Amino acid sequence: MTQASTMRAIAITQPGDPDVLQPRIGPLPAAGPDDVLIRVAAAGVNGPDLAQRRGHYDPPPGASPLPGLEVAGVIAACGKTVSGWREGDRVMALTNGGGYAEYVAVPAGQVLPVPQNWSLAEAAALPETWFTVTQTLVMRAALAPGMTVLVHGGSGGIGGAAIQICAILGARAIAVVSSPEKAAYCRALGAVASIDRTREDLIERVMAITDGKGVDRVVDLIGGDMAATNIDLSARRGHIVQIATLGNASATISLRKMMAKELTLSGSTLRPQDAATKATIAARIRADLLPALNSPEWIKPHIERFPLDDAAGAHRLMETRGHRGKLVLVTAFGAAGDGT
């Protein structure tokens, strides 16, 4: 495949507000022997990108300093040890950084095929959230059929992924939302019930929905005071998965309540995980979750598209928390493609 020697990318000129995201021209990334080089059609926008832009989430050693943790596009080149992929394959991938660009190098173990009948822009909205939820809720918290899962921020990227993964694996997701429109969106994704946090008591509603038992798993992105609430609404031997701390990074909780209920509270971040761990997560997604996405009846997440050069606009919208689904940045190559 013929490729350019330079590319357009979005750089963080200094920590700050969205306007510090600026287009730059630079060399293509170097792909190692275990990597594939992807010509990017679209890149997803995620919470960690906002944290990195603000100066609060440094890339791990050896990773690209450019933002962007998920992409979809076409393989432009394969490293000499890579098998199972070839130039021209349509793929989506979890990156280690550098996704806000026209090309990105990605370890081959973090690459997945684009689901059937999905555009590249739609596929770009999947990897970071699906890897995150698979790592935390599915693998670490041992999600199982029949479990009830409370999903905070149900209409967002992480929340939507959690709802749909629960549906695939036979669990029942209850979405926490802030409007009737977001509740309807979560139900379309597969939530069995929703709770409007702006007008309903969270604990009372959970207990009513679960006949007083509480939920088996909690996916929380809030932190702060929500940590104590999560303990109160959890069932015996429940597991609270802390994925983000959008509310507050500190919390006061009752250890006695946790002990009495035999609860587990776990937290982790995805980006610092090593390549082997990320490849294991990818393999789990490919085996257990990806087949469902190939169904023509599958409900795709809502996405809003922005040109790559307007990364700042996407960040501004994401910071309002008024959107639903995912935001993606589309490159010139993606905009010129079919179905992007």
Side-chain angles (χ1 to χ4, degrees), residues 47-104:
D49 302 340
L50 276 62
Q52 181 179 346
R53 190 204 75 221
R54 296 172 186 139
H56 302 153
Y57 195 45
D58 292 336
S64 170
L66 300 174
L69 298 176
E70 62 183 351
V71 300
V74 176
I75 293 181
C78 295
K80 61 182 180 181
T81 67
V82 173
S83 61
W85 298 110
R86 60 184 179 182
E87 292 182 17
D89 284 346
R90 286 163 48 92
V91 295
M92 56 185 183
L94 178 76
T95 77
N96 297 329
Y100 289 13
E102 293 181 315
Y103 288 86
V104 65

Coordinates of all heavy atoms in Angstrom, one line a residue, residues 47-104:
G47 N -12.9 9.8 28.0 CA -12.5 10.5 29.2 C -11.0 10.7 29.5 O -10.5 11.7 29.8
P48 N -10.2 9.6 29.3 CA -8.8 9.7 29.5 C -8.1 10.7 28.6 O -7.1 11.3 29.0 CB -8.3 8.3 29.2 CG -9.4 7.4 29.6 CD -10.6 8.2 29.1
D49 N -8.7 10.9 27.4 CA -8.1 11.9 26.5 C -8.3 13.3 27.1 O -7.3 14.2 27.0 CB -8.8 11.9 25.2 CG -8.8 10.6 24.4 OD1 -7.9 9.8 24.8 OD2 -9.6 10.4 23.6
L50 N -9.4 13.6 27.7 CA -9.6 14.9 28.4 C -8.7 15.0 29.6 O -8.1 16.1 29.8 CB -11.1 15.0 28.9 CG -12.1 15.5 27.9 CD1 -12.2 14.5 26.7 CD2 -13.5 15.7 28.5
A51 N -8.5 14.0 30.3 CA -7.5 14.0 31.5 C -6.1 14.3 31.0 O -5.4 15.1 31.6 CB -7.6 12.7 32.3
Q52 N -5.7 13.6 29.9 CA -4.4 13.8 29.3 C -4.2 15.3 28.9 O -3.2 15.9 29.1 CB -4.1 12.9 28.2 CG -2.7 13.1 27.6 CD -2.4 12.1 26.4 OE1 -3.1 11.2 26.2 NE2 -1.3 12.4 25.7
R53 N -5.2 15.8 28.2 CA -5.2 17.2 27.8 C -5.0 18.2 28.9 O -4.3 19.2 28.8 CB -6.4 17.5 27.0 CG -6.4 18.9 26.3 CD -7.9 19.4 26.1 NE -8.4 19.9 27.3 CZ -9.7 19.7 27.7 NH1 -10.5 18.9 27.0 NH2 -10.1 20.3 28.8
R54 N -5.6 17.9 30.0 CA -5.5 18.8 31.2 C -4.2 18.6 32.0 O -3.9 19.3 32.9 CB -6.7 18.5 32.2 CG -8.0 18.8 31.6 CD -9.1 18.3 32.5 NE -10.5 18.4 31.9 CZ -11.4 17.5 32.1 NH1 -11.2 16.4 32.7 NH2 -12.6 17.7 31.5
G55 N -3.4 17.6 31.6 CA -2.1 17.3 32.3 C -2.2 16.4 33.4 O -1.3 16.3 34.2
H56 N -3.3 15.6 33.5 CA -3.5 14.7 34.6 C -3.4 13.2 34.3 O -3.6 12.4 35.2 CB -4.9 14.9 35.2 CG -5.2 16.3 35.6 ND1 -6.5 16.9 35.6 CD2 -4.4 17.3 36.0 CE1 -6.4 18.1 36.0 NE2 -5.1 18.4 36.3
Y57 N -3.0 12.9 33.1 CA -2.9 11.5 32.7 C -1.8 11.3 31.7 O -2.0 11.2 30.5 CB -4.3 11.0 32.1 CG -4.5 9.5 32.0 CD1 -4.2 8.7 33.1 CD2 -5.1 9.0 30.9 CE1 -4.4 7.3 32.9 CE2 -5.3 7.6 30.7 CZ -5.0 6.8 31.8 OH -5.2 5.4 31.7
D58 N -0.6 11.2 32.2 CA 0.6 11.1 31.3 C 0.6 9.7 30.6 O 0.2 8.7 31.2 CB 1.9 11.2 32.1 CG 2.1 12.7 32.6 OD1 1.5 13.6 32.1 OD2 2.8 12.8 33.7
P59 N 1.1 9.7 29.3 CA 1.2 8.4 28.6 C 2.3 7.6 29.3 O 3.2 8.1 29.9 CB 1.7 8.9 27.2 CG 1.4 10.3 27.1 CD 1.4 10.9 28.5
P60 N 2.1 6.3 29.3 CA 3.1 5.4 29.8 C 4.4 5.4 29.1 O 4.4 5.9 27.9 CB 2.4 4.0 29.7 CG 1.4 4.1 28.7 CD 0.9 5.5 28.7
P61 N 5.5 5.0 29.6 CA 6.8 5.0 28.9 C 6.7 4.4 27.6 O 6.2 3.3 27.4 CB 7.7 4.3 29.9 CG 7.1 4.5 31.2 CD 5.6 4.4 31.0
G62 N 7.2 5.0 26.6 CA 7.3 4.5 25.2 C 6.1 4.7 24.4 O 6.1 4.4 23.2
A63 N 5.0 5.2 25.0 CA 3.8 5.5 24.2 C 3.8 6.8 23.5 O 4.6 7.7 23.9 CB 2.6 5.4 25.1
S64 N 3.0 7.0 22.5 CA 2.9 8.2 21.8 C 2.4 9.3 22.7 O 1.5 9.1 23.5 CB 2.0 8.1 20.6 OG 1.7 9.4 20.0
P65 N 3.0 10.5 22.6 CA 2.5 11.7 23.4 C 1.2 12.2 22.9 O 0.5 13.0 23.5 CB 3.6 12.7 23.3 CG 4.3 12.4 22.0 CD 4.2 10.9 21.8
L66 N 0.8 11.8 21.7 CA -0.4 12.3 21.1 C -1.6 11.7 21.8 O -1.6 10.5 22.2 CB -0.5 12.0 19.6 CG 0.6 12.6 18.7 CD1 0.5 12.1 17.3 CD2 0.6 14.1 18.7
P67 N -2.8 12.4 21.9 CA -3.9 11.8 22.5 C -4.6 10.8 21.5 O -4.3 10.8 20.3 CB -4.8 13.0 22.8 CG -4.5 14.0 21.7 CD -3.0 13.8 21.5
G68 N -5.5 10.0 22.1 CA -6.3 9.1 21.2 C -6.0 7.6 21.5 O -4.9 7.1 21.3
L69 N -7.0 6.9 22.1 CA -6.8 5.6 22.6 C -7.6 4.5 21.8 O -7.5 3.3 22.1 CB -7.2 5.5 24.1 CG -6.4 6.3 25.0 CD1 -7.0 6.3 26.5 CD2 -5.0 5.9 25.0
E70 N -8.3 4.9 20.8 CA -9.0 4.0 19.9 C -9.2 4.5 18.5 O -9.4 5.7 18.3 CB -10.4 3.6 20.6 CG -11.3 4.8 20.7 CD -12.7 4.5 21.3 OE1 -12.9 3.3 21.6 OE2 -13.4 5.4 21.6
V71 N -9.1 3.6 17.6 CA -9.2 4.0 16.2 C -9.9 2.9 15.4 O -10.0 1.7 15.8 CB -7.9 4.3 15.5 CG1 -7.1 5.4 16.2 CG2 -7.0 3.0 15.5
A72 N -10.3 3.2 14.2 CA -10.7 2.3 13.2 C -10.2 2.8 11.8 O -10.1 4.0 11.6 CB -12.2 2.1 13.1
G73 N -9.8 1.8 11.0 CA -9.2 2.2 9.7 C -8.8 1.0 8.9 O -9.4 -0.1 9.1
V74 N -7.8 1.1 8.1 CA -7.3 0.1 7.2 C -5.8 -0.2 7.5 O -5.1 0.8 7.7 CB -7.5 0.5 5.8 CG1 -6.9 -0.5 4.8 CG2 -9.0 0.7 5.5
I75 N -5.4 -1.4 7.6 CA -4.0 -1.7 7.8 C -3.2 -1.3 6.6 O -3.5 -1.7 5.5 CB -3.8 -3.2 8.1 CG1 -4.5 -3.6 9.4 CG2 -2.3 -3.6 8.1 CD1 -4.3 -5.0 9.8
A76 N -2.2 -0.4 6.9 CA -1.3 0.1 5.9 C 0.0 -0.8 5.8 O 0.6 -0.9 4.7 CB -0.9 1.5 6.1
A77 N 0.4 -1.4 6.9 CA 1.6 -2.2 6.9 C 1.6 -3.1 8.1 O 1.0 -2.8 9.1 CB 2.9 -1.4 6.9
C78 N 2.3 -4.3 8.0 CA 2.4 -5.2 9.1 C 3.8 -5.4 9.5 O 4.7 -5.5 8.6 CB 1.8 -6.6 8.7 SG 0.0 -6.5 8.4
G79 N 4.1 -5.5 10.8 CA 5.5 -5.8 11.2 C 5.9 -7.2 10.8 O 5.0 -8.1 10.5
K80 N 7.1 -7.5 10.8 CA 7.6 -8.8 10.2 C 7.2 -10.0 11.0 O 7.2 -11.1 10.5 CB 9.2 -8.7 10.1 CG 9.9 -8.5 11.4 CD 11.4 -8.5 11.2 CE 12.2 -8.3 12.5 NZ 13.7 -8.2 12.2
T81 N 6.8 -9.8 12.3 CA 6.4 -11.0 13.1 C 4.9 -11.1 13.2 O 4.4 -12.1 13.8 CB 7.0 -10.9 14.5 OG1 6.3 -9.8 15.2 CG2 8.5 -10.8 14.5
V82 N 4.2 -10.2 12.6 CA 2.7 -10.2 12.6 C 2.1 -11.3 11.7 O 2.5 -11.4 10.6 CB 2.1 -8.8 12.3 CG1 0.6 -8.9 12.2 CG2 2.6 -7.8 13.3
S83 N 1.2 -12.0 12.3 CA 0.4 -13.0 11.5 C -1.1 -12.8 11.7 O -1.5 -12.2 12.8 CB 0.8 -14.4 11.9 OG 0.5 -14.7 13.2
G84 N -1.9 -13.2 10.8 CA -3.3 -13.1 10.9 C -3.9 -11.8 10.4 O -5.1 -11.7 10.4
W85 N -3.0 -10.9 10.0 CA -3.5 -9.6 9.5 C -2.7 -9.4 8.2 O -1.6 -9.8 8.0 CB -3.3 -8.4 10.4 CG -4.0 -8.5 11.7 CD1 -3.5 -8.8 12.9 CD2 -5.4 -8.4 11.9 NE1 -4.5 -8.8 13.9 CE2 -5.7 -8.6 13.3 CE3 -6.5 -8.2 11.0 CZ2 -7.0 -8.5 13.8 CZ3 -7.8 -8.1 11.6 CH2 -8.0 -8.3 12.9
R86 N -3.4 -8.6 7.3 CA -2.7 -8.2 6.1 C -3.1 -6.8 5.7 O -4.1 -6.3 6.1 CB -3.0 -9.2 4.9 CG -4.4 -9.3 4.6 CD -4.7 -10.4 3.5 NE -6.1 -10.5 3.2 CZ -6.6 -11.4 2.4 NH1 -5.8 -12.2 1.8 NH2 -7.9 -11.4 2.1
E87 N -2.3 -6.2 4.8 CA -2.6 -4.9 4.3 C -4.0 -4.8 3.7 O -4.3 -5.7 3.0 CB -1.5 -4.4 3.3 CG -0.1 -4.2 3.9 CD 0.8 -3.7 2.8 OE1 0.4 -3.3 1.8 OE2 2.1 -3.8 3.1
G88 N -4.7 -3.8 4.0 CA -6.0 -3.6 3.4 C -7.1 -4.1 4.3 O -8.3 -3.8 4.1
D89 N -6.8 -4.8 5.4 CA -7.9 -5.3 6.3 C -8.5 -4.1 7.0 O -7.8 -3.2 7.5 CB -7.3 -6.2 7.4 CG -7.0 -7.6 6.8 OD1 -7.5 -7.9 5.7 OD2 -6.3 -8.4 7.5
R90 N -9.8 -4.1 7.1 CA -10.6 -3.1 7.9 C -10.6 -3.6 9.4 O -11.0 -4.7 9.7 CB -12.0 -3.0 7.4 CG -12.2 -2.3 6.1 CD -13.5 -2.6 5.5 NE -14.7 -2.4 6.4 CZ -15.3 -1.3 6.6 NH1 -15.0 -0.2 5.9 NH2 -16.4 -1.2 7.4
V91 N -10.0 -2.7 10.2 CA -9.8 -3.1 11.6 C -10.2 -1.9 12.6 O -10.3 -0.8 12.2 CB -8.4 -3.4 11.9 CG1 -8.0 -4.7 11.1 CG2 -7.4 -2.3 11.6
M92 N -10.4 -2.3 13.8 CA -10.5 -1.4 14.9 C -9.5 -1.8 16.0 O -9.2 -2.9 16.1 CB -12.0 -1.3 15.5 CG -12.5 -2.7 16.0 SD -14.2 -2.6 16.5 CE -14.5 -4.2 17.1
A93 N -9.0 -0.8 16.8 CA -7.9 -1.1 17.6 C -7.9 -0.3 18.9 O -8.3 0.9 18.8 CB -6.6 -1.0 16.9
L94 N -7.4 -0.8 20.0 CA -7.1 -0.1 21.2 C -5.6 0.4 21.0 O -4.8 -0.5 20.8 CB -7.2 -1.0 22.4 CG -6.8 -0.3 23.7 CD1 -7.9 0.6 24.2 CD2 -6.5 -1.4 24.8
T95 N -5.4 1.6 21.0 CA -4.0 2.1 20.9 C -3.4 2.4 22.3 O -4.1 2.4 23.3 CB -4.0 3.4 20.1 OG1 -4.4 4.5 20.9 CG2 -4.9 3.4 18.9
N96 N -2.1 2.7 22.3 CA -1.4 3.1 23.5 C -1.3 4.6 23.5 O -0.5 5.1 24.3 CB -0.1 2.4 23.6 CG -0.2 0.9 23.7 OD1 -1.2 0.4 24.3 ND2 0.7 0.2 23.2
G97 N -1.9 5.3 22.6 CA -1.8 6.7 22.4 C -1.6 7.0 20.9 O -1.4 6.0 20.1
G98 N -1.8 8.2 20.5 CA -1.6 8.6 19.1 C -2.7 8.4 18.2 O -2.6 8.5 16.9
G99 N -3.9 8.1 18.7 CA -5.1 7.9 17.8 C -5.6 9.1 17.1 O -6.2 9.0 16.0
Y100 N -5.3 10.3 17.6 CA -5.8 11.5 16.9 C -4.8 11.9 15.8 O -4.1 12.9 15.8 CB -5.8 12.7 17.9 CG -6.9 12.7 19.0 CD1 -7.7 11.5 19.3 CD2 -7.2 13.8 19.7 CE1 -8.6 11.6 20.3 CE2 -8.1 13.8 20.7 CZ -8.8 12.7 21.0 OH -9.8 12.7 22.0
A101 N -4.8 11.0 14.8 CA -3.8 11.2 13.7 C -4.3 10.4 12.5 O -5.2 9.6 12.6 CB -2.4 10.7 14.2
E102 N -3.6 10.6 11.4 CA -3.9 9.9 10.2 C -3.3 8.6 10.1 O -3.8 7.7 9.3 CB -3.5 10.8 9.0 CG -4.3 12.1 8.8 CD -3.9 12.9 7.6 OE1 -2.6 13.1 7.4 OE2 -4.8 13.4 6.9
Y103 N -2.3 8.3 10.9 CA -1.7 7.0 11.0 C -1.4 6.7 12.4 O -1.0 7.6 13.2 CB -0.5 6.8 10.1 CG -0.7 6.8 8.6 CD1 -0.8 7.9 7.9 CD2 -0.8 5.6 8.0 CE1 -1.0 7.9 6.5 CE2 -1.0 5.5 6.6 CZ -1.1 6.7 5.9 OH -1.3 6.7 4.5
V104 N -1.4 5.4 12.9 CA -1.0 5.1 14.2 C -0.5 3.6 14.2 O -1.0 2.8 13.4 CB -2.2 5.2 15.2 CG1 -3.3 4.2 14.9 CG2 -1.7 5.0 16.6

